[in-house]
Amino acid sequence: MATNMYDAAYALQKAITENPDFIALKQSYANVQADPQAKQLFDQFRAVQMELQQKMMQGQQITEADNAKAQQVVALVQQNPKIAQLMQQEQRMNMLIGDLNKIILKPLEELYGPLAQ
Amino acid sequence: MATNMYDAAYALQKAITENPDFIALKQSYANVQADPQAKQLFDQFRAVQMELQQKMMQGQQITEADNAKAQQVVALVQQNPKIAQLMQQEQRMNMLIGDLNKIILKPLEELYGPLAQ
Ligand SMILES: [Ca+2]
Ligand SMILES: [Ca+2]
């Protein structure tokens, strides 16, 4: 009997929660949340990020002022070791999720492959 | 011992290839590919789709002529029962993949949930 797709997805969900990189990311996030200064800075960084994303999604122009504000927050954030560590682990996790996605979507990619010819 | 994330992803990949909806999609795709008229129409439809996507990604204006061309191809495509079936099964598969993604990404969503507060 073939494994149910949903069962396999839940097994992967569980494997992610037990993955050392995910656990490290969770810990780094908790470290930031537990430090009021780091938390405030990180929340500010996320708010600026989200504002820029929304502008881009709505097709609005990103102004010089937007860019300057973003660069200022990024500079502050990079100087905070707890946030720097969190961001490094986020990048690592994003890479892993990208790898997982490639594996999972391969059957669909192979199906449509000949179309591109 | 926790299941390795990659092993779990490969197990999900296998479950997708064995899923009845995926097998039906594959069969519908083969039916279109085996029918020269349907294949030509479908290739044309995909080419128009890709052209529009590229224009949007590059921030180019979608013209009235682009829209008219797209609508014309969609109308032709919908009249072809083999393609209509393929497109219905693509929609179903996209929905399933969306469900799987929600399950897989839940640990990350839960991690960042408090951020949105
Ligand atoms: Ca083709
Ligand atoms: Ca928060």
Side-chain angles (χ1 to χ4, degrees):
Chain A
M1 181 66 198
T3 309
N4 179 284
M5 235 168 41
Y6 285 87
D7 291 343
Y10 280 109
L12 177 53
Q13 182 193 86
K14 189 164 175 288
I16 290 172
T17 63
E18 292 167 350
N19 176 265
D21 286 300
F22 178 74
I23 292 168
L25 170 62
K26 222 172 145 177
Q27 187 55 54
S28 293
Y29 182 64
N31 290 345
V32 168
Q33 294 296 105
D35 175 338
Q37 203 206 333
K39 184 187 178 333
Q40 199 201 349
L41 203 52
F42 189 66
D43 284 351
Q44 204 185 335
F45 169 68
R46 297 278 296 200
V48 170
Q49 249 189 341
M50 240 179 275
E51 205 186 309
L52 284 184
Q53 263 177 22
Q54 265 175 356
K55 275 202 166 185
M56 281 192 281
M57 274 173 9
Q58 290 165 0
Q60 287 177 48
Q61 191 76 35
I62 306 295
T63 64
E64 294 261 334
D66 288 329
N67 274 325
K69 196 166 89 178
Q71 274 171 24
Q72 206 184 355
V73 179
V74 168
L76 281 173
V77 145
Q78 281 171 341
Q79 283 166 30
N80 185 299
K82 285 179 191 168
I83 303 181
Q85 195 188 22
L86 174 57
M87 286 172 74
Q88 212 182 326
Q89 279 161 345
E90 278 179 340
Q91 274 185 2
R92 167 112 188 110
M93 200 68 220
N94 285 342
M95 209 194 65
L96 293 176
I97 295 291
D99 284 352
L100 299 181
N101 254 319
K102 263 185 230 152
I103 294 167
I104 296 159
L105 296 179
K106 206 172 175 218
L108 286 157
E109 204 190 282
E110 279 178 353
L111 179 59
Y112 288 111
L115 258 182
Q117 286 174 358
Chain B
M1 180 66 196
T3 310
N4 179 282
M5 237 168 41
Y6 286 87
D7 290 344
Y10 281 110
L12 176 53
Q13 183 192 86
K14 189 165 176 287
I16 291 172
T17 62
E18 292 167 351
N19 175 267
D21 286 299
F22 178 74
I23 293 167
L25 170 62
K26 221 171 145 177
Q27 187 55 55
S28 292
Y29 182 65
N31 290 345
V32 167
Q33 294 296 104
D35 175 338
Q37 202 205 335
K39 183 185 180 334
Q40 198 201 350
L41 202 52
F42 188 66
D43 284 349
Q44 204 185 336
F45 169 68
R46 297 277 297 200
V48 170
Q49 249 189 341
M50 238 178 278
E51 204 187 309
L52 284 184
Q53 264 177 22
Q54 266 177 355
K55 276 201 166 187
M56 282 192 282
M57 272 173 11
Q58 291 165 0
Q60 286 177 47
Q61 191 77 35
I62 306 294
T63 64
E64 295 262 331
D66 288 329
N67 274 325
K69 196 165 90 178
Q71 274 170 25
Q72 205 185 355
V73 178
V74 168
L76 281 173
V77 146
Q78 281 171 342
Q79 283 165 30
N80 185 299
K82 286 179 192 169
I83 303 180
Q85 196 189 20
L86 175 58
M87 287 173 73
Q88 212 181 326
Q89 278 161 347
E90 279 180 339
Q91 274 185 1
R92 167 113 188 107
M93 201 66 219
N94 285 342
M95 208 193 65
L96 292 177
I97 295 291
D99 284 352
L100 299 181
N101 254 318
K102 263 186 229 153
I103 294 168
I104 296 159
L105 296 178
K106 206 173 174 220
L108 286 157
E109 202 191 283
E110 278 177 354
L111 180 60
Y112 289 110
L115 258 182
Q117 285 173 1

